Amino acid sequence: MVRIPWNDPTRSGFASLRRNPSRVFLHAWVGAMLFAVTGCAMIVPGEVGVKQTLGKLDNRVYGPGPVLFTPGVTSVIRIPTRTVNLEVALELPSQEGLNIRSEISVLYRIEPGSAPSVISQIGLDYERVLVLTTFRSAAADVTARFMASDMYTSSRSEIEKAIVGRMSEVLAKRGFEIETVLLKSIRLPERLAKSVESKLSAEQDAERMTFILDAERQEAERMRIEAAGIRDSQNIVAESLSDDLLAWKSIQAFRELALSENAKVVVTNGNSPILIGAE
C-alpha cells in the first residue's frame, strides 16, 4: 500500500483547492469576517461582567476571565465587586444643634450576583445616586442623637456602628454590603473644642487624684495595722511582767554582777529588788 503525504497536491483536498482557487479566498474571507465580528472582553479579579445585547441586559454574571461578544450588537458592562473606599467631607448635626465638620470613609462592596439588578435599577452611577445619598441621610439621623463632645470620646465607635446599621437597612436588599464607616477627622467649633479639652483635662486630673487618694488610704490602713500589732505586742509583754518575775530578773542581774571580775558599786533603794545604778 502506498501512502500519500498529507500535503501531497495529488490528495483530493489539495487537488480540489487547486482546481478551485476561489474556494481558498472564500475560506480566508469567512475567517477574517468571523475574527472581525467577534470581540473579547477580559474580566479581571475584583469585578464581574454582564452582557447587554441590543439594549437587553442578560441576567448571567461573568466572573474573571475572557468573555466573547459581538461588537455592535453586544457589549460587556463591568461592575467592581472589590471593596470601595468612598471618602466624604460634610457637616454633621449634633444634639445641641451644632454643625460638626467631618471627614468620613465608607467602605462598601457590591454582591456579585446583584450586578444585573444594580445596572438595570440604579445604573452605573450607583455610588452617587444611592450609596452617597443613603450615607448622608443615615449619618445626619445618627449624629443628631449625640452631643458634639461624644464624637471625641469612646462614643465615636458607637456612632460609626449606628451609621452602618442605618445604611445596611436600605442598601442590603439592593445588593450592597456596607463593611464599615470610619470617622477619620472631627473638627468642632473653636470654643467648643477648648471646652471639651478642658473637660477631658479635668477628668484626667480627677482620675489622677482618685489614684493618689486610694494610695494614701492604703498606706494609712497599713500604718493602722502596724500600730495595732505593736500595741498588741506591748500589751502581751505588760501582762507577763508580774512582781515575782521582776524580782527573779533582779536577782539574776545581781548574780551576774557578782560574778564579774571588775570593781563595781551597786545602788538600790533598799526595798526594791530592781537595780538602780552600778559602776
Side-chain angles (χ1 to χ4, degrees):
M1 180 178 180
V2 179
R3 295 183 176 274
I4 300 175
W6 68 272
N7 58 350
D8 194 296
T10 62
R11 293 177 66 94
S12 58
F14 282 92
S16 175
L17 291 176
R18 293 185 64 182
R19 289 193 301 268
N20 299 293
S22 61
R23 187 175 180 182
V24 177
F25 175 78
L26 178 63
H27 280 277
W29 183 83
V30 171
M33 289 298 296
L34 289 175
F35 179 79
V37 300
T38 301
C40 179
M42 185 63 64
I43 308 300
V44 300
E47 66 179 19
V48 295
V50 179
K51 283 185 177 182
Q52 185 176 17
T53 304
L54 297 177
K56 184 179 180 180
L57 201 64
D58 191 353
N59 289 328
R60 180 179 175 183
V61 178
Y62 294 87
V67 179
L68 299 178
F69 65 96
T70 304
V73 177
T74 304
S75 60
V76 177
I77 303 174
R78 297 180 177 88
I79 292 290
T81 57
R82 67 181 70 87
T83 299
V84 178
N85 180 16
L86 172 61
E87 295 190 354
V88 186
L90 75 166
E91 292 188 351
L92 298 174
S94 65
Q95 189 178 45
E96 62 266 50
L98 298 175
N99 289 328
I100 311 303
R101 299 179 61 188
S102 61
E103 294 180 2
I104 304 176
S105 287
V106 181
L107 302 183
Y108 75 94
R109 68 184 188 90
I110 299 177
E111 296 290 346
S114 301
S117 63
V118 170
I119 298 172
S120 61
Q121 298 177 13
I122 307 171
L124 296 180
D125 196 15
Y126 52 82
E127 184 171 275
R128 181 185 63 84
V129 172
L130 186 62
V131 179
L132 182 57
T133 303
T134 303
F135 164 71
R136 289 181 181 275
S137 175
D141 289 344
V142 171
T143 57
R145 304 198 306 263
F146 290 84
M147 302 293 290
S149 58
D150 293 336
M151 301 181 191
Y152 262 85
T153 62
S154 58
S155 298
R156 174 181 292 199
S157 60
E158 183 180 352
I159 295 173
E160 294 171 344
K161 292 178 181 178
I163 295 175
V164 171
R166 290 297 299 274
M167 293 185 68
S168 297
E169 292 176 2
V170 178
L171 298 179
K173 56 188 177 184
R174 307 297 295 271
F176 293 84
E177 179 185 351
I178 307 302
E179 297 180 355
T180 188
V181 171
L182 302 173
L183 300 177
K184 300 194 302 181
S185 174
I186 300 295
R187 290 190 291 273
L188 299 177
E190 184 176 356
R191 292 181 61 183
L192 180 59
K194 291 181 179 179
S195 175
V196 172
E197 292 176 357
S198 299
K199 180 181 178 182
L200 294 177
S201 178
E203 290 177 352
Q204 293 175 355
D205 291 340
E207 291 178 358
R208 182 165 54 252
M209 184 57 65
T210 299
F211 174 79
I212 294 174
L213 292 176
D214 288 341
E216 292 294 338
R217 279 192 289 267
Q218 293 176 1
E219 178 64 16
E221 184 64 21
R222 185 195 67 79
M223 295 177 66
R224 280 194 294 270
I225 294 173
E226 182 180 4
I230 295 173
R231 181 195 61 208
D232 293 342
S233 176
Q234 291 175 346
N235 290 338
I236 293 172
V237 173
E239 292 175 357
S240 65
L241 293 177
S242 62
D243 293 339
D244 293 338
L245 179 60
L246 292 175
W248 171 251
K249 292 292 184 180
S250 179
I251 293 172
Q252 286 183 328
F254 281 125
R255 180 178 297 174
E256 292 176 0
L257 286 173
L259 294 176
S260 175
E261 297 179 355
N262 298 328
K264 68 218 36 101
V265 177
V266 178
V267 180
T268 68
N269 59 5
N271 295 321
S272 172
I274 300 176
L275 179 65
I276 296 178
E279 292 185 359

